[in-house]
Amino acid sequence: MSAPNRQNLYRKYRPQRFSELSGQEHISRTIQAAVASDRISHAYMFSGPRGTGKTSAARLLAKILNCQNLEQTPGGLPDCCRVCDNCRRIEEMNFMDIIEIDAASNNGVEDIRQMREKVKYRPAEGRYKIYIIDEVHMLSGSAFNAFLKTLEEPPPNVIFVLATTDPQKVPATIISRCQCFDFHSVSRRTIQARLEEIVKLESAEGVFPTFETEALAMIAECAQGGFRDGLSLLDQIASSISEQPVKLDHVLKLTRRLSYTTLKEVTCAIFSHDLGQLVKLLNELYSLGYEPLTIGRDLLEYLRRCMILKIDAEANQLLDLPAEQAAEIKVQVADLQVRYIIGAVSRVERALLNIRNSFQARVLLESELIRLGLGDEIFTSEAVEKRIEQLEQKVAALRKIAARPSAVTPAREPAVPVTSS
Ligand SMILES: [Zn+2]
């Protein structure tokens, strides 16, 4: 169902009010409260993973500060009205007082000097002029120094929003002059719920396919905490699949991901030492076109889930898995030792590192997984430890006997034999 003229979903569904900034409520509330009490900072730093809404929030900040008719939300906080001239022009990307600078491509001292020249002019149409500097950590050292001077003497009615995915690279002198907000990765559940809403709205218009729930769940998982990636993937899949509803298989094929069911089957074969089944499953995956690197990568993530749920059965909040998957994994690992699972994680991770330099990636992955399925190395080291423990107990028992007065009697065999039992 291809629709070449359809508007990019991320643009179309960009949050237009603070109440729509899903997953970052802690930030929305603080900014709205600051607007309500007129305690606006002249510089903000928005840091967090990609696609979590940093530039959207920066545009919302520009909008709420320039809105001519603020709305009161049911919670008593102000929000953008979306109907006044300024709100409308901002939504149409046609507002002169929002200046967006991409520091990845304008990172030199000259770029900052040019900005400083313009900063001193009053806002052209709104109350505040907002400079949004995206990927600010990319600025050069001299550019940061030039920018620091502006931050030290901020012109009135100018607000800077510095957005970054890598705040560690921003000098402390800059950070100390900003009010900082950490954007969180958005939970899989929140992303999935938003995707479901959007698919419902879009498919009602007739130019967008419907999706099965499992397909959307997989897209939400692939988004890895970022709305933007989730929506781009949804866009991409909607324009490349001609049948509907879009199924999980379609998504797996396009994203080159392994399904939860496949990963469970592969790990079940490993954990139950069913090597025949393991080899059969791997062959099926190869014949479907899966690369050893992809298989190893998804398997590693699955084993990590096994490890974490084995250590802490309540850890699903951290893993953000569907509840039924978490419950099944807990059953799957119930009889395994933590050490065995940790050994499996290290082995697959090592295999992944070696696969990149291997001429025979397939053989390498296969042999590592078979060795894991045999379990001999791990079991051997465990067996050795058990044997040492038994011997220590015997030595301790002998010491006790030796300490007794009767032990001085010669030619008497120890009560506990030292030889293997
Ligand atoms: Zn407005």
Side-chain angles (χ1 to χ4, degrees):
M1 189 164 291
S2 119
N5 296 323
R6 198 163 41 74
Q7 196 189 352
N8 167 318
L9 288 179
Y10 186 67
R11 283 252 166 88
K12 186 168 176 184
Y13 291 97
R14 209 165 223 206
Q16 298 296 357
R17 286 193 170 97
F18 274 102
S19 57
E20 295 168 10
L21 192 67
S22 315
Q24 315 298 347
E25 289 77 9
H26 59 299
I27 293 169
S28 300
R29 276 195 307 271
T30 313
I31 291 179
Q32 287 171 286
V35 170
S37 57
D38 208 17
R39 283 180 292 106
I40 306 300
S41 172
H42 71 270
Y44 291 88
M45 189 159 95
F46 291 173
S47 59
R50 51 183 260 120
T52 49
K54 297 182 295 295
T55 34
S56 295
R59 297 187 65 80
L60 283 176
L61 178 67
K63 200 172 175 184
I64 201 170
L65 290 175
N66 284 300
C67 176
Q68 296 152 315
N69 187 22
L70 285 176
E71 235 177 36
Q72 288 296 315
T73 61
L77 291 171
D79 211 338
C80 317
C81 77
R82 296 200 65 191
V83 286
C84 72
D85 281 353
N86 287 352
C87 277
R88 286 216 324 272
R89 279 210 300 278
I90 290 172
E91 287 188 20
E92 288 158 9
M93 311 284 271
N94 185 23
F95 189 72
M96 286 170 71
D97 294 322
I98 297 182
I99 300 103
E100 292 193 49
I101 298 168
D102 177 14
S105 46
N106 304 283
N107 62 353
V109 67
E110 213 28 65
D111 297 301
I112 295 298
R113 278 205 191 114
Q114 278 176 17
M115 181 189 82
R116 288 183 62 195
E117 275 306 301
K118 293 176 194 153
V119 151
K120 54 191 177 203
Y121 301 114
R122 291 189 55 77
E125 42 189 346
R127 276 173 69 206
Y128 289 95
K129 192 150 78 163
I130 285 92
Y131 283 84
I132 301 171
I133 308 181
D134 204 11
E135 298 299 348
V136 70
H137 62 272
M138 305 285 276
L139 287 183
S140 68
S142 46
F144 268 127
N145 282 336
F147 184 47
L148 187 59
K149 284 181 193 149
T150 310
L151 277 187
E152 279 167 343
E153 292 162 21
N157 298 79
V158 171
I159 287 165
F160 294 97
V161 182
L162 316 181
T164 177
T165 47
D166 201 351
Q168 268 94 337
K169 290 192 183 143
V170 179
T173 44
I174 299 275
I175 295 178
S176 66
R177 283 172 175 81
C178 297
Q179 186 176 357
C180 298
F181 287 107
D182 287 327
F183 283 66
H184 299 163
S185 284
V186 186
S187 78
R188 183 195 49 76
R189 255 161 287 189
T190 307
I191 295 181
Q192 188 180 335
R194 185 77 181 126
L195 295 178
E196 278 165 8
E197 274 170 29
I198 290 174
V199 167
K200 208 170 165 187
L201 290 169
E202 288 289 307
S203 56
E205 287 177 19
V207 287
F208 201 84
T210 51
F211 280 69
E212 285 189 346
T213 310
E214 293 76 27
L216 289 181
M218 183 42 97
I219 296 176
E221 191 179 323
C222 293
Q224 294 191 311
F227 269 122
R228 189 173 52 213
D229 286 354
L231 288 181
S232 308
L233 189 54
L234 185 68
D235 243 341
Q236 194 194 330
I237 291 171
S239 17
S240 52
I241 302 239
S242 53
E243 52 196 285
Q244 62 168 338
V246 176
K247 295 190 167 74
L248 174 63
D249 272 353
H250 294 131
V251 180
L252 294 173
K253 225 176 256 169
L254 276 170
T255 55
R256 309 307 300 150
R257 297 273 300 231
L258 299 187
S259 71
Y260 161 75
T261 316
T262 305
L263 289 165
K264 192 179 172 199
E265 281 173 358
V266 172
T267 46
C268 274
I270 294 173
F271 296 160
S272 61
H273 317 301
D274 188 347
L275 301 182
Q277 172 71 356
L278 174 62
V279 171
K280 184 175 153 258
L281 287 169
L282 288 175
N283 268 316
E284 278 172 15
L285 291 175
Y286 292 138
S287 65
L288 287 170
Y290 283 100
E291 298 289 330
L293 201 62
T294 314
I295 302 173
R297 179 202 62 197
D298 288 4
L299 194 57
L300 183 64
E301 177 55 33
Y302 189 92
L303 288 169
R304 171 182 167 259
R305 292 169 183 178
C306 291
M307 177 176 73
I308 290 174
L309 287 169
K310 178 72 195 181
I311 294 166
D312 178 3
E314 303 303 314
N316 193 30
Q317 246 187 330
L318 180 88
L319 291 172
D320 196 22
L321 295 176
E324 60 279 14
Q325 285 185 16
E328 283 179 12
I329 293 177
K330 276 184 236 172
V331 173
Q332 196 191 358
V333 298
D335 293 332
L336 297 176
Q337 296 212 356
V338 183
R339 259 183 293 180
Y340 174 74
I341 306 174
I342 293 173
V345 168
S346 324
R347 190 177 274 283
V348 173
E349 203 229 341
R350 244 191 347 256
L352 274 173
L353 285 175
N354 293 333
I355 278 174
R356 288 174 210 277
N357 301 319
S358 170
F359 291 112
Q360 291 288 350
R362 196 174 149 165
V363 178
L364 189 119
L365 183 74
E366 233 162 40
S367 58
E368 289 293 337
L369 295 185
I370 288 173
R371 216 169 284 170
L372 202 55
L374 281 170
D376 54 342
E377 195 180 290
I378 293 157
F379 288 133
T380 307
S381 71
E382 272 175 15
V384 168
E385 277 177 35
K386 206 168 179 185
R387 184 89 191 101
I388 291 172
E389 203 182 305
Q390 282 171 349
L391 285 170
E392 280 172 349
Q393 282 169 1
K394 284 176 185 170
V395 170
L398 281 173
R399 282 219 178 104
K400 259 188 203 162
I401 292 163
R404 282 185 210 147
S406 59
V408 291
T409 322
R412 193 179 152 181
E413 286 298 309
V416 183
V418 191
T419 48
S420 79
S421 51

